[in-house]
Amino acid sequence: MRMSRMYLPTLRQKPAESELPSHQLLLRAGMIRKLVSGVYSYLPLGYRVLRKIEKIVREEMDFAGGQEVLMSAIQPKELWEDSGRWEAFGPEMFRLKDRNEREFCLGPTHEEIFTELIRSELKSYKQLPLNLYQIQTKYRDERRPRFGLIRAREFLMKDAYSFDMDEAAMKISYKEMWRAYEKIFNRCNLNYRVVEGDAGAMGDSDSHEFMAMCDNGESTVVYCPSCDYSATDEKAICSYEIKNSAEGQTVKQKIFTPDIKTIEALKEFFDVDGSSFVKTLLFEVKGSVVAVCIPGDRELNVTKLMNLLKVPEHEIEMASPQIVEKVTGAEVGFAGPINLKQDVKLYVDARITKMTNFIVGANETNYHIKNVNYGTDFEGYIVDDLLVVQEGDLCPRCSDGINLAKGIEVGNIFQLATKYSEGLKASFLDENGREQFFWMGSYGIGVSRTLAAVVEQNYDEIGIKWPLAIAPYHVIITIINPSKEDQLQLAEGLYTDLKSKGIEVLLDDRKGSPGVKLTDADLIGIPIRIVVGKDAPKGEVELKYRHQDSRRVMPVEEAMEEVIDYVRCQLS
Amino acid sequence: MRMSRMYLPTLRQKPAESELPSHQLLLRAGMIRKLVSGVYSYLPLGYRVLRKIEKIVREEMDFAGGQEVLMSAIQPKELWEDSGRWEAFGPEMFRLKDRNEREFCLGPTHEEIFTELIRSELKSYKQLPLNLYQIQTKYRDERRPRFGLIRAREFLMKDAYSFDMDEAAMKISYKEMWRAYEKIFNRCNLNYRVVEGDAGAMGDSDSHEFMAMCDNGESTVVYCPSCDYSATDEKAICSYEIKNSAEGQTVKQKIFTPDIKTIEALKEFFDVDGSSFVKTLLFEVKGSVVAVCIPGDRELNVTKLMNLLKVPEHEIEMASPQIVEKVTGAEVGFAGPINLKQDVKLYVDARITKMTNFIVGANETNYHIKNVNYGTDFEGYIVDDLLVVQEGDLCPRCSDGINLAKGIEVGNIFQLATKYSEGLKASFLDENGREQFFWMGSYGIGVSRTLAAVVEQNYDEIGIKWPLAIAPYHVIITIINPSKEDQLQLAEGLYTDLKSKGIEVLLDDRKGSPGVKLTDADLIGIPIRIVVGKDAPKGEVELKYRHQDSRRVMPVEEAMEEVIDYVRCQLS
C-alpha cells in the first residue's frame, strides 16, 4: 500500500481526551477515531490489526473444534426473561422497541440466543460435544466508558458456547478452550496471567480470566509467588493475621465521641490503629436495609456482597442519610451492630468473631462503644469472607505473602453448568433415552480490547511497537526524497519484490519532510523499517527494527533477504 | 470437515413460514435460522457462504482502490439531524436511548458517519480521491420483513463512500465502483442487470441498481430489448400512445351514477374502457390534502409522487373517508378535479392534457361528469409523469416496446453530489486554496441478500446448486457404509489428499441411511459429489456434479485428478 493514497490521519499532539498510552497512541497513529463516548471507528490501519487478531482467534477456535456461526445483535426480551437476566443486567443493557412496540436488547452477550438456537434441534447425545462460536459486535451501555477500546460501549468480541452431556465432558471442553486461549494470546505476543474469576452476570460458576498484565490495567490481579494461586481481586479469598485476637474480653463501655465519624478521626481520638474498630456499612437492597460489619482497617468487597445477596450491582446502594437515621436512630457516622432496628439483616465478616474488645458505633449520635465482642454483645449472619485483598495479605492456599498487580481482562471462560439450559428448557436424550439438560460453557475474548492491550504492552515514547504477527504491515519503506529518481526506483523495486514474496509492505512515497515520515513510521509502529535515501545510488538502504535501536546500512539485496527470513521465521 | 461433527440441522419438510425457494432451501439446508421476524442467525454452513461472498467483495473493493474501515452501528441523532434524515427515515429506523437519555439510531446506512469521519481531518485536494468502505451489519425496521434474508431487519451490507474534488472526479469514482460491482456479481455467478434507480432516501441524485434477475424478485425492472434503456419501475419513465386524443371537444354533462364508484363499475355503466376516465386520488400529506389526476386505466407511481412532493413514503397517506367528504362534498367514489375545495392542491399527469372528453367524478354523491377536458373544465399543476409503467408501454428513448421483468436489488450506487457534505459542512481546500464541499458517492451491496439471490437463481426441486466460487465446500465425499473398512479407508484417504491440494471437502462419515446422506448432499448443494460405496474394493468411486445429471464410476485417482483440475480452473 502506498501511504500517499492511504487514509492515515496521524496526529502530532496527544489528544486531550486520551487517558492511557494505548488510547492516545491508537488515536495519534490514525488507527481509531471516537464517534461518541465509548463508540469508536476503525480506520484502515487499525482495521487491519483488528482483522489479524480475528484471524488468529478464528484459526485457534477452528483448531479446537469450534464451528463459526453468526447470530444477531438484536435479541428479543422474552429469551432474557426466561434466563432471569432481563432485569439483572440493569442499565448496562441497551434496550429498544421495534415499530410494533416489541421489546429487544442489543446483545451484551449471547448465552440465551445460543441456547435458543440449539434447544429445538439438538436432541441426541450423539451430536455432543458441540462448540459454536462467533466474532461479533457486542453492546454494553457502560456507566463510565473509558480508556478507548478497553471499556467501550460497542466492541468486537469472540464468544463461544459449548454444549456437553455431563459435568465431566463440560470440564474437558472448558480445558480445550483454555488451551486455545493460551495459544491465541501467545500468538498476539501478550504477557498474560490466567486467574480465577468471579462469574458475575454469568451466574454461579467456575471461571477464569485471561489478564494482560500492565500497570494501567483496570483490574487487579492477586497472585502468590510461591504457589500457583491467582485470582482477580473480586474473587480472591482474603487471608491475613488478625492482630488483636488474643486479648481477654472486657465489658463494653459507651464513649462520648462528639462529631467523630470517620475511621481516621476515630483512630486519632482513641489513639489506636484501624484494626481496633469494626465498621458497620448500611445498604439499601431491593427495598430492604442490609448491614455489613467488617474490620475497621479493611475494605468491603462489593462483588462478594453481590454474590452473597444474589443481586446485581445496580441493586445495591449505599443507604441514604434518612435511612441511616431511621434504622440506627443516629446521624450518619455512628452506625453499629448493637440495637439496630429489627428488620435490618446484619452480616458479619467471620474475622470479627476472632477479634476482641473492638470499637463500634453506638447507634446514638456522638457515641461509640468500646470493648465490644461478637457473641457477647451482638450476633448476625456470619459470612466467611467479605473483604478486599490488600498488599501484605497471605495466600489462602499456602499462607505465603501474596502480590498484587494490574491487568486488562482480555478473555474469560465460564463453566455455566445447566443454568441456561434449565432456564430455557434446552435438553437432549442421553444414551438411556432420558432427558437431560445440556452442560454448557461460555468463552469470551475481547477482540478490540486485545488490540488495545497489545499496544499497552508494546510502546515507547515515540509510538507503538507492533508484534509482527498482528502488525498492520510487516515492513515500511520510507523514501527520503521521492523526487530523486534513484531513490524512487530503488524503493519501488524493493516494494514490488517484497510484496511478491508475501511480505506486507507500506511504501511511504509521500512528498514532504523526511522527519515527518520517519516520525510517522515510529508512531504507527511497523516492525521493520527500510529507509531509502542518500545511499540509493550505491544500491544501499538502511534497515532498522522497531524494537531495536541499531540501524544498519546494507545492500538492498541483503536487506531484502534478511527481511524475508525474519518475517517467515517470526510467523512460522 | 466431518459431517458427523458438524452442526447441520437439515429439515425434511418445507418450513411453514418460508415464502420463496431461497428462504425455504436455506432453512432446510441448515444454513440459517430465524430468531424473530426479519432477524436471522447463520449456522456453520451458511456462514461459510457469507464469508466467501464477503471475501469476493473485499478483494474487488481493494482492487478498485477502496480502503476498508469499520464504523459503529450506533450513531448519534445529531448527525442525522444535520442531514435532515432523522425525521425522513421515519419508522424504518431503529432508535434507542442510552442510560443518559441521549438519542441514537442503529445505522440503516452510513453517509452521515463517513462524512463526519473525514470532515475534520481530510483538508486538502491532494488527499483526493478517497474511497472508504466497510462490511458491516445494518438495521432497518422494515414494515413487512419477508423472504428470509431478502428483506430482513438486521442484515450484512458492504457500504462504500467516495470523496472527490468535483463532479467529473465523482463520476470517475462512480464508474470505478460500477466496474467493481460487475466483477463482484460476475464472480458470484449472478445473472443481473444494471438499471437506473430512484435514489429514494439518499436524496436527489443519479443512481443505478444491480438487479439479480429472478421470477420471485420483489423489484420490477423495465428494459428495452432494442436499445440499452433499463430502469426500476419506480424510476422508469412511462410512455405510451394515448387513445382518445384526436376527438373534438364537446360540452361536459353531469350523469347520475347511483352507487357506481369504481373504475370497473364505471366501465360497465358507460360501456367504455378505462382510458375514457380520469381518476382523482386524494392523499393527506403533512396535514394538507393533495389531489392527483391520472388516466383511468393507469396506476399512480408513488415514488414519483414522493419525489414530486419531496416527502418520504411514510408521510403520504390515502385520505380518510372523512377528509374525502370534506374536500369533495361527496362520499368516497365520486371525487373529481372540478370544484374541489380551494385548499386542495391538484396535480395532473401531463397525459391528461392530451385526452379529450373524459369522465371524472362530480364531487357529488352518485354523480359523474362526462365530456370533461383539461383547460376548459379545470386546471392544476401539470406533472410530466406520475405513472407506473406497464406491459405494452413504449421505451422512452427509442419508442420500441418495453419489457418488464422481476429482480432482487443486490447492489446500488448513488451520485450524492454535495448533499451530505453541505449538510454536515465537510469541506476541503482546492488547488487555489478555496474551500469546497466534497463531491460524494455511496455504494451498497447487500451481502446477505446476495447470498439469497444466488440461491434464488441456482436451485432445483431437490436443493441448492451453489456456484463453486461461493459454495460452502467444493466437494462432498459420501460414504455409503462407513462401517465397511474398505469404504472408510478409501474415503478417508481421498479426503486427506484433496484437502492437501487446497480443495475444501466435506466428508459425510455419518452412520445411517445412504438415502438420507445423498438427499442431504443434494439439498445443501455442494458442487461436486464423490460417493464411496460398493466399488470401493476395486478402488472406484462415483463422481457427480450437482449441475449435471450424469454419474460416472471411475478409479479414485482419476476422480481426484479431475476434481482438482475442475476446481482450479473454475476458481482461476
Side-chain angles (χ1 to χ4, degrees), chain A residues 143-361:
Chain A
R143 190 157 47 94
R144 222 186 120 210
R146 59 192 185 278
F147 308 142
L149 304 182
I150 289 176
R151 191 156 292 275
R153 298 199 289 175
E154 176 170 335
F155 56 96
L156 195 65
M157 186 167 158
K158 186 286 301 174
D159 46 330
Y161 305 85
S162 63
F163 300 89
D164 278 292
M165 56 193 298
D166 56 26
E167 186 174 3
M170 174 189 75
K171 285 181 184 295
I172 292 169
S173 294
Y174 187 80
K175 207 67 199 171
E176 270 169 18
M177 283 295 103
W178 183 318
R179 274 195 295 269
Y181 276 35
E182 288 177 335
K183 287 159 79 182
I184 289 166
F185 295 123
N186 286 339
R187 288 180 64 183
C188 291
N189 263 49
L190 269 187
N191 167 24
Y192 65 91
R193 275 182 184 275
V194 189
V195 306
E196 281 180 28
D198 181 79
M202 294 301 155
D204 236 0
S205 67
D206 273 356
S207 75
H208 287 87
E209 297 183 10
F210 287 72
M211 291 283 186
M213 303 312 295
C214 62
D215 293 344
N216 292 314
E218 275 193 295
S219 304
T220 301
V221 169
V222 176
Y223 66 95
C224 174
S226 308
C227 73
D228 64 351
Y229 182 78
S230 63
T232 63
D233 64 340
E234 292 180 331
K235 174 79 175 181
I237 299 164
C238 175
S239 169
Y240 66 99
E241 276 180 44
I242 293 151
K243 282 191 194 161
N244 50 356
S245 62
E247 298 170 19
Q249 294 189 6
T250 52
V251 177
K252 75 173 194 279
Q253 186 185 351
K254 195 159 85 176
I255 307 288
F256 182 55
T257 51
D259 221 26
I260 311 281
K261 297 176 178 182
T262 64
I263 290 288
E264 282 315 301
L266 285 161
K267 276 155 66 176
E268 201 176 316
F269 182 91
F270 284 99
D271 194 24
V272 292
D273 71 16
S275 66
S276 300
F277 298 88
V278 162
K279 287 193 276 203
T280 304
L281 308 172
L282 294 163
F283 298 94
E284 290 174 68
V285 180
K286 289 184 160 186
S288 304
V289 181
V290 167
V292 179
C293 280
I294 59 169
D297 56 345
R298 308 294 306 201
E299 294 303 318
L300 176 72
N301 184 321
V302 177
T303 305
K304 291 176 183 172
L305 183 62
M306 281 159 56
N307 291 339
L308 172 69
L309 303 177
K310 298 196 194 312
V311 295
E313 190 172 5
H314 68 270
E315 288 185 354
I316 299 183
E317 277 182 274
M318 287 293 293
S320 66
Q322 292 73 28
I323 293 286
V324 171
E325 280 190 33
K326 198 175 137 202
V327 301
T328 66
E331 283 174 21
V332 172
F334 303 97
I338 302 170
N339 294 329
L340 277 171
K341 287 275 179 303
Q342 271 196 338
D343 55 352
V344 176
K345 198 156 185 180
L346 175 65
Y347 294 99
V348 179
D349 182 84
R351 264 131 314 200
I352 287 169
T353 64
K354 294 182 191 144
M355 290 166 62
T356 48
N357 303 332
F358 47 81
I359 301 165
V360 301

Side-chain angles (χ1 to χ4, degrees), chain A residues 383-536:
Chain A
V383 184
D384 275 352
D385 179 20
L386 286 170
L387 305 183
V388 173
V389 173
Q390 62 192 37
E391 284 291 356
D393 283 355
L394 306 177
C395 173
R397 227 174 253 169
C398 75
S399 296
D400 211 336
I402 51 97
N403 285 358
L404 297 185
K406 289 290 181 184
I408 297 168
E409 182 191 347
V410 286
N412 51 38
I413 53 178
F414 299 97
Q415 294 179 21
L416 300 175
T418 57
K419 174 180 162 67
Y420 294 92
S421 56
E422 285 191 44
L424 278 85
K425 302 197 174 32
S427 61
F428 64 96
L429 295 179
D430 70 12
E431 314 156 89
N432 305 310
R434 275 184 314 225
E435 207 168 324
Q436 304 277 3
F437 290 117
F438 293 101
W439 284 76
M440 293 173 55
S442 91
Y443 315 93
I445 287 180
V447 178
S448 41
R449 186 184 274 185
T450 296
L451 187 157
V454 169
V455 177
E456 206 55 54
Q457 288 185 354
N458 294 278
Y459 70 92
D460 58 19
E461 61 289 354
I462 54 173
I464 302 172
K465 302 194 282 189
W466 289 112
L468 194 83
I470 63 167
Y473 291 88
H474 304 139
V475 176
I476 182 167
I477 302 173
T478 304
I479 314 176
I480 293 295
N481 187 349
S483 63
K484 295 219 165 165
E485 195 52 39
D486 49 6
Q487 292 186 23
L488 191 66
Q489 262 188 12
L490 188 70
E492 291 276 356
L494 182 59
Y495 176 58
T496 309
D497 290 349
L498 283 174
K499 282 205 300 178
S500 75
K501 299 288 182 187
I503 310 291
E504 301 173 12
V505 192
L506 202 51
L507 177 68
D508 195 348
D509 58 342
R510 295 176 297 174
K511 287 164 190 155
S513 119
V516 166
K517 288 190 275 196
L518 295 171
T519 303
D520 274 350
D522 287 333
L523 176 60
I524 65 176
I526 308 299
I528 304 165
R529 187 182 79 189
I530 299 175
V531 176
V532 180
K534 62 176 175 18
D535 298 321

Side-chain angles (χ1 to χ4, degrees), chain A residues 12-23:
Chain A
R12 289 287 154 262
Q13 303 301 321
K14 175 176 176 295
E17 80 272 23
S18 62
E19 301 154 300
L20 290 194
S22 61
H23 186 194

